Amino acid sequence: MYELIEKSTPIVQKYGGTSVGTTSRIKDVAKRIAGQYKEGWTKIAVVVSAMTGETNRLVALVNEVNPNCPAKSYDMAVASGEQVSVALMAAALAAEGLQAEPFLSHQLGILTDSFHSKARIKSINMDRINQCWDSGIIPVVAGFQGVTEALEITTLGRGGSDTSAVALAIAAGAGFCEINTDVDGVFSCDPRIVKNSQLIEKMDFEVALEMASLGSKVLHPRCVELGAKFQMPIIVRNTFTPNDHRRTCVMNLANYNNLEAPAVSGVTLDKDVAKITFLDLPFDTAIVSGLFSAIAEVGVNVDIIVHNMPEPNSKTMHLGFTTSKGESKKAIQAAQSYWAHKYPQKALEVTVEDSCAKVSVVGVGMRSHSGVAATTFSSLSSAGIDIRMVSTSEIKISCVINSDHAEKACQVLHKVFVEN
Ligand code: ADP
Ligand code: ASP
Ligand code: MG
C-alpha cells in the first residue's frame, strides 16, 4: 500500500495491546516508526491501545469497588490505560531522535456522544495534529477514548482503538489506516482456534463487517463500518514482521464477481452470548413489543429472537432471545419492571443460560450458492453439537450452541467450508 501513495500523504498507524505490551515492544515499535519517518513518511499519526491486560485489570478494579459503577466513573477509570501507553510511545520515539507529542482525546478534541462505554465519535479536530505535522512532530494519540461537549471522558467500547484510528484516518484524509496487531491479518477463522486458518489477503468491507460483528475480534466492528462509509482502506498486519510481509487489505471490492467468491469466506465465534427466555407469555403482540421496547430503552442490544409453543395447541408461548453476557441482567430488570407495571397479578417467569456461544459462517458467495444452511446443520449434527437457535442473513448463518462445543464447532465448519 505504501508504494501506491506519495510520501507526503498522511498515514495512521494503530498499535494494539500486545504490540505495546512491554517496554521492549514499545521500543521496537518506535524503531519501526523512526525507520519509516527517516525514509520520508513525515505525516504519520500513531494511535495506541493500553498495554495488554491493562484494560481488563482496570475493569476488574472498578467491579471490585462497585459492580454497578456509574458510567462516568467507569469510563474515566478504564480510559486511563491508554494514557500510560501514549506517553511511553512518545518517549520511545524521542529516544529514537524523533520529535513526538502524546495526546489524550480531550487535548485533541475527539468529540463523542455521551453514551458512556459505547460512545460514538462525532468529530475530530485536526488543528493540533496538522500543527504537529507542519513542525516535524509525530502525534501519538490515545485510542479507545473520547470526550463529550461537556468534557466528560467516554470510551468507545472494548476493542475501540481500531475505531479511533480509522476515524482519525478519515479526518486526516489519510491514504489508509494500518491496524498493527499480533497476527498477520484477518484469517478465515481465529488462528488460535483453527490451526489451518487461511489469511484473507483482500476483503470487501461487507464481509469484514459481518465477521467483525459476529465475533472475529481482530477488527472492532465500528471501524469497519466507518471504513466502508468513507471508503478508507484498512490494512491489518503483524506489528513484528517486515514491512513487505503478507497482510490483509480491507477495501471496497464492489467490482469483485460474487459468483466466483467462495460460499464461505470465514467462520467466527462469539462467546459473549447469554440466552434469556420468558416463559409462558400470552400470544399478544402488544406484550412482546412492550417487553422489547423496555429492553431497548435501557440501551441493551438484542440479537437472535425465537418463539415457540411449549406444547401443541398451547395458549402460551416461550420467547427466547440473546444479549451479551454483561447486558443480560439489565435486559431482565427492564423487562420485569415493564411486566410488573402491566401485569402485577403474575410474576414474569425468566430463565437465563450463560453457557452459550454463537458460531457463524460468513461469505458473499452464499448469495449464489445454495445448501450452505443444510451443510452447516448436518456438519454440526454429525459432530454431536446441538443447535439451540439459528439466525440467517443473505451472507451469514449463525447458530447458538453450548459454549463447551464452541471451538469444535469452528473447526468442523472451517474444515467443511474452507479447507475442502
Ligand atoms: P489488538 O490488541 O492488537 O487490538 P486483538 O486481541 O483485539 O488485538 O485482536 C487480535 C486477535 O484477534 C488475534 O490474536 C486473534 O486471536 C483474534 N482473532 C479472532 N478472529 C480472528 C480472525 N478471523 N483473524 C485474525 N485474528 C482473529
Ligand atoms: N484498551 C481497550 C480494550 O482493551 C481498547 C483496545 O484495545 O482497542 O478494550
Ligand atoms: Mg483489538
Side-chain angles (χ1 to χ4, degrees):
M1 222 40 181
Y2 285 93
E3 60 286 357
L4 299 178
I5 54 172
E6 300 277 319
K7 284 191 172 159
S8 56
T9 314
I11 302 291
V12 175
Q13 297 185 348
K14 178 252 171 179
Y15 293 90
T18 326
S19 310
V20 296
T22 62
T23 49
S24 86
R25 287 190 171 174
I26 292 176
K27 289 189 206 171
D28 288 343
V29 168
K31 280 198 176 70
R32 170 179 189 243
I33 299 168
Q36 289 180 309
Y37 189 87
K38 286 168 192 163
E39 275 173 27
W41 298 97
T42 51
K43 285 194 171 178
I44 295 177
V46 180
V47 174
V48 290
S49 296
M51 295 166 84
T52 186
E54 183 59 11
T55 312
N56 287 346
R57 188 184 75 85
L58 295 167
V59 170
L61 286 182
V62 170
N63 285 334
E64 242 173 70
V65 173
N66 181 356
N68 297 313
C69 180
K72 286 181 193 172
S73 303
Y74 179 94
D75 273 0
M76 193 179 283
V78 304
S80 66
E82 272 69 12
Q83 178 162 346
V84 173
S85 43
V86 90
L88 294 180
M89 183 59 76
L93 287 166
E96 289 297 320
L98 301 180
Q99 293 191 77
E101 198 164 331
F103 288 107
L104 299 178
S105 55
H106 69 272
Q107 294 174 302
L108 276 185
I110 302 182
L111 210 62
T112 71
D113 61 26
S114 53
F115 288 97
H116 284 275
S117 304
K118 43 177 151 176
R120 286 186 172 254
I121 298 175
K122 296 207 291 199
S123 61
I124 299 182
N125 184 336
M126 287 301 295
D127 291 352
R128 292 193 68 182
I129 299 225
N130 284 325
Q131 281 163 15
C132 283
W133 282 335
D134 291 344
S135 326
I137 296 170
I138 300 182
V140 186
V141 180
F144 183 49
Q145 51 175 258
V147 66
T148 66
E149 266 157 37
L151 296 182
E152 309 284 2
I153 293 174
T154 54
T155 61
L156 311 181
R158 296 303 306 271
S161 296
D162 299 335
T163 299
S164 309
V166 174
L168 185 58
I170 291 162
F176 55 86
C177 180
E178 195 180 81
I179 303 289
N180 290 279
T181 185
D182 56 5
V183 286
D184 286 349
V186 183
F187 285 76
S188 50
C189 189
D190 186 339
R192 292 178 211 287
I193 299 175
V194 174
K195 294 261 163 338
N196 292 334
S197 291
Q198 295 161 14
L199 182 88
I200 307 174
E201 284 190 7
K202 276 196 181 141
M203 256 185 128
D204 188 67
F205 285 119
E206 190 183 17
V207 177
L209 179 58
E210 200 74 49
M211 283 184 66
S213 310
L214 292 169
S216 147
K217 184 177 161 222
V218 63
L219 286 175
H220 192 236
R222 277 174 28 222
C223 93
V224 189
E225 219 173 273
L226 276 180
K229 189 166 167 193
F230 294 93
Q231 298 294 303
M232 173 57 62
I234 302 172
I235 311 295
V236 186
R237 69 180 292 280
N238 196 321
T239 305
F240 300 106
T241 56
N243 284 334
D244 57 0
H245 197 261
R246 64 186 194 150
R247 70 206 46 216
T248 297
C249 179
V250 183
M251 59 200 293
N252 185 359
L253 296 176
N255 297 329
Y256 187 56
N257 186 352
N258 281 351
L259 275 175
E260 289 178 16
V264 172
S265 309
V267 177
T268 64
L269 174 63
D270 184 357
K271 284 184 136 181
D272 184 16
V273 177
K275 177 172 182 258
I276 301 170
T277 309
F278 299 144
L279 301 169
D280 294 322
L281 292 182
F283 274 107
D284 183 343
T285 314
I287 293 178
V288 174
S289 106
L291 285 167
F292 283 114
S293 301
I295 293 169
E297 260 164 43
V298 293
V300 173
N301 284 330
V302 168
D303 188 16
I304 305 177
I305 304 176
V306 291
H307 80 281
N308 62 296
M309 298 200 301
E311 52 202 44
N313 305 323
S314 169
K315 296 239 166 355
T316 60
M317 63 171 172
H318 297 336
L319 187 68
F321 61 97
T322 59
T323 65
S324 67
K325 286 185 176 143
E327 291 193 318
S328 63
K329 231 196 216 159
K330 211 166 157 192
I332 293 170
Q333 278 165 356
Q336 278 172 330
S337 66
Y338 164 82
W339 182 269
H341 182 66
K342 281 272 182 197
Y343 306 97
Q345 61 281 11
K346 182 181 176 277
L348 178 65
E349 264 188 80
V350 185
T351 61
V352 192
E353 291 167 64
D354 265 341
S355 57
C356 294
K358 182 169 73 175
V359 60
S360 310
V361 293
V362 180
V364 285
M366 249 181 242
R367 291 194 174 113
S368 50
H369 290 74
S370 56
V372 178
T375 308
T376 302
F377 303 152
S378 63
S379 309
L380 292 177
S381 156
S382 311
I385 300 171
D386 287 337
I387 301 171
R388 296 179 180 179
M389 291 169 129
V390 175
S391 105
T392 63
S393 81
E394 247 193 323
I395 64 161
K396 65 117 193 203
I397 295 165
S398 296
C399 301
V400 175
I401 58 172
N402 186 303
S403 55
D404 290 345
H405 299 136
E407 283 77 13
K408 188 174 170 199
C410 290
Q411 287 149 7
V412 164
L413 294 175
H414 191 271
K415 193 160 202 114
V416 68
F417 285 116
V418 184
E419 290 169 50
N420 275 342

